[in-house]
Amino acid sequence: MALLGFPVRAQDNAPSHLGDRAIPCANLVYAGGKTSQCFSDRFLQRLQQETRIRTKPHFQRVHLDERDLFRYPFAVMSGEGPFQLSVAERTQLRYYVTHGGFLLASASCSDARWANSFHKEFARMFPTGQLTRLRLEHPLFRTIYRIDSLGTVHGAGGPNGAGLSAYARNGRIVMIFSGDGLNDTSHTQNCCCCGGDEINRAEFVNVDVLAYALLH
């Protein structure tokens, strides 16, 4: 079985630094209004069901260049087509992930143009940094659910290959990038990846990413 639909390690007690407040998660708006239309937020509710970590049940749209971003410890950035960030957006995103924020970036429906644009922006933000492919043996893939495969719905793996890449600062992962979609379109309305591809059962992958971000 590629992915087991039960928790391998439920977090019975959230770390004290999370407090009692519900964790809010941002859906970024960037590059003149580009944002994700089809990234399901159901994983936020599933994490709360499986653990004692409290989360807000839905994303909040947040403009990348707004100060409000720093109220959100976890942010999703996704979309389709090419894009270019403004200087202000680039500066703020760099500051965000190097000062406690965590970014999950995913090419909607495995869109190669978006993935290529993201790689260019990453290089501008972190000229000496690199995104490193995570092996499935990494603890992230055992945080709540056991993830044994990152195959895609259409089986093609997308032009960038099925898998997650990480950027770490001072030994801590602060960014996860996927060239293949993590949309989980089966749990969104009026959205699909008919013209693209996405990772199978992405909801569970997203749960592990969020839990890992909050617990490490």
Side-chain angles (χ1 to χ4, degrees), residues 46-119:
R46 183 170 287 278
L47 176 62
Q48 184 166 268
Q49 292 169 1
E50 298 287 18
T51 73
R52 293 186 181 179
I53 299 172
R54 295 180 58 223
T55 57
K56 296 282 188 180
H58 301 293
F59 289 136
Q60 180 68 42
R61 287 198 176 191
V62 179
H63 286 266
L64 179 53
D65 58 358
E66 290 182 349
R67 294 289 299 175
D68 277 355
L69 174 60
F70 297 97
R71 297 173 49 221
Y72 300 84
F74 186 90
V76 167
M77 182 177 180
S78 186
E80 299 179 13
F83 68 92
Q84 182 171 330
L85 299 180
S86 68
V87 173
E89 289 174 328
R90 200 175 295 133
T91 300
Q92 177 133 298
L93 184 55
R94 176 186 171 90
Y95 192 89
Y96 173 75
V97 299
T98 57
H99 289 77
F102 190 101
L103 178 70
L104 173 58
S106 167
S108 181
C109 293
S110 307
D111 187 279
R113 298 166 300 167
W114 193 94
N116 289 337
S117 292
F118 185 86
H119 280 296

Side-chain angles (χ1 to χ4, degrees), residues 138-158:
H138 192 279
L140 182 149
F141 298 114
R142 303 292 186 273
T143 309
I144 303 297
Y145 294 98
R146 179 185 173 114
I147 309 296
D148 289 324
S149 171
L150 291 171
T152 64
V153 173
H154 298 325

Side-chain angles (χ1 to χ4, degrees), residues 126-173:
F126 304 103
T128 62
Q130 62 179 357
L131 290 163
T132 304
R133 182 62 56 91
L134 292 182
R135 297 174 61 87
L136 286 171
E137 293 79 17
H138 192 279
L140 182 149
F141 298 114
R142 303 292 186 273
T143 309
I144 303 297
Y145 294 98
R146 179 185 173 114
I147 309 296
D148 289 324
S149 171
L150 291 171
T152 64
V153 173
H154 298 325
N160 302 281
L164 304 187
S165 296
Y167 176 61
R169 297 275 295 192
N170 300 319
R172 174 181 177 264
I173 293 176

